[in-house]
Amino acid sequence: MPHPDVMEKLVSLCKRRGFIFQSSEIYGGAGSVWDYGPLGVELKKNLKDRWWHAMVRARDDIEGLDAAILMHPRVWEASGHVAGFTDPMVDCKACKARFRADKLEDAQCPRKPSKHPGEHGDCQLTEPRLFNLMFKTHIGPMEDTASVAYLRPETAQGIYVNFLNVQQASRQKVPFGIAQIGKAFRNEITPGNFIFRTREFEQMEMQFFIDPESDHMQWLEYWKAQRMAWHRSLGLSEDRLLFHQHTDKELAHYARAAFDIQFDFGGTLGFQEIEGVHHRGDFDLGRHQEYSSKRLEYVDQVSNRRYIPFVVETSVGADRTTLAVLVNGYHEEEVPGESEGRVVLKLDPRIAPVKAGIFPLVKKDGMPEFADKLAKELRAKFPVFYDEGGAIGRRYRRQDEVGTPFCLTIDGQTMSDGTLTVRDRDTLAQERVAADRVLEYLSARVL
Ligand code: GAP
């Protein structure tokens, strides 16, 4: 069965509950840029932390880096972005809408949504024009060609230009990788679908440097498998994930082979790329060596060979992955024995922004004091939310909607025997756990 389209409901939930807001909303909003609220920033940070742990901290063959967004403009000439990072754009003179000329079959005619642009009798599409997606700015007070700079459209180039700095400082030997997380900017012609395609976004990229005389295709397979396993570890359903191999027509200018990891966002959006795994050969280092006139060869101390390594890149969007886990987690359910259903975000407990809701059943008999003390103790380890307002059922629903995996209720029995109720978000099962064992109980499930 196809997955339902939950995007509209999700956008509303994200705003209402403080995950994601439209940027500059009080001014009517800025085009396709979004701000992360209290819960959204925690969720995205948890994803980034998991990526950093898997890619950098838990390995001895990958080093971390945090390169600047602004770089020397020659970087983008060498990388091919000045000449080639373009999309063909067409305008409709009749309805004034703008489309990507190569994606007309994915777009709807604003006047007749059942048709693609150009198919409706009134459409007047212009000839395609190439449009560079890089944002241009100037460094210093003079706005002349000598001061031109670009907001980086990918983080990868910061890694290439630092390849030898990192390799020599860390004394890594090929094969090894360099990873970083950071903002990237693209002046997309047709952004949209909430945080799926935006003009400012975060990438988590890793470039793995390989001996070109080794079995380099094996590394492509290795990284495909590693990255797919990572997405599954976030709780994304198996049936919503697949690989898409780029055809010759789809391959980027730098790529020898490329695979997208696609996630099924449901509805008409369907399967879309969340990560690219690319074999970039020696294109980038070779070009930077040519344009900078600085040698970027690796010296193999054992064989005494000098060579420009091949690169396998893994490049995943932090925002797109955030959207994938939200879409994957969103459920509307009947609740046995209750007239009203519930909205629940079934986020993996390890990425959920709040790990436990803590509720005194009533505001008397020492329950609030007990619950408040417990909340303070747990908060030292992970985010928890104390809530003493309203009916217990309503408090559960509020936590279900933001994906809190456990709710702890302090009741009359707690005051006599020191146990409390732990309610599981997904199964709705409740069990009694000794309050002095709750930290251990939760840690095993949410960290
Ligand atoms: N360094 C290679 C590179 O940038 P890409 O396929 O263009 O490859 C990699 O981008 C990932 O970055 C995508 O899979 C997606 O998750 C994310 N991404 C790219 N453009 C984006 C946009 N406009 N908005 C949000 N995420 C984007």
Side-chain angles (χ1 to χ4, degrees), residues 131-143:
F131 172 75
N132 196 298
L133 301 187
M134 282 196 296
F135 282 98
K136 224 185 222 179
T137 185
H138 294 271
I139 292 184
M142 304 299 286
E143 292 203 2

Side-chain angles (χ1 to χ4, degrees), residues 85 153-156 186 188 195-203 205 207 246 254 260-261 273-276 278 280 313 315-321:
F85 195 52
E154 61 171 8
T155 64
R186 296 183 189 177
E188 300 278 2
I195 53 169
F196 177 79
R197 182 170 288 111
T198 54
R199 295 198 165 104
E200 174 178 341
F201 54 96
E202 263 182 299
Q203 289 186 315
E205 296 201 302
Q207 316 295 318
H246 283 211
Y254 52 72
D260 291 341
I261 296 177
E273 171 189 350
I274 52 175
E275 170 150 8
H278 309 132
R280 296 179 73 134
E313 167 187 67
S315 174
V316 57
D319 310 270
R320 243 179 234 185
T321 311

Side-chain angles (χ1 to χ4, degrees), residues 35-49:
D35 299 336
Y36 285 74
L39 295 182
V41 72
E42 285 291 335
L43 175 60
K44 185 155 81 147
K45 186 173 182 312
N46 289 342
L47 292 173
K48 291 190 288 186
D49 287 350

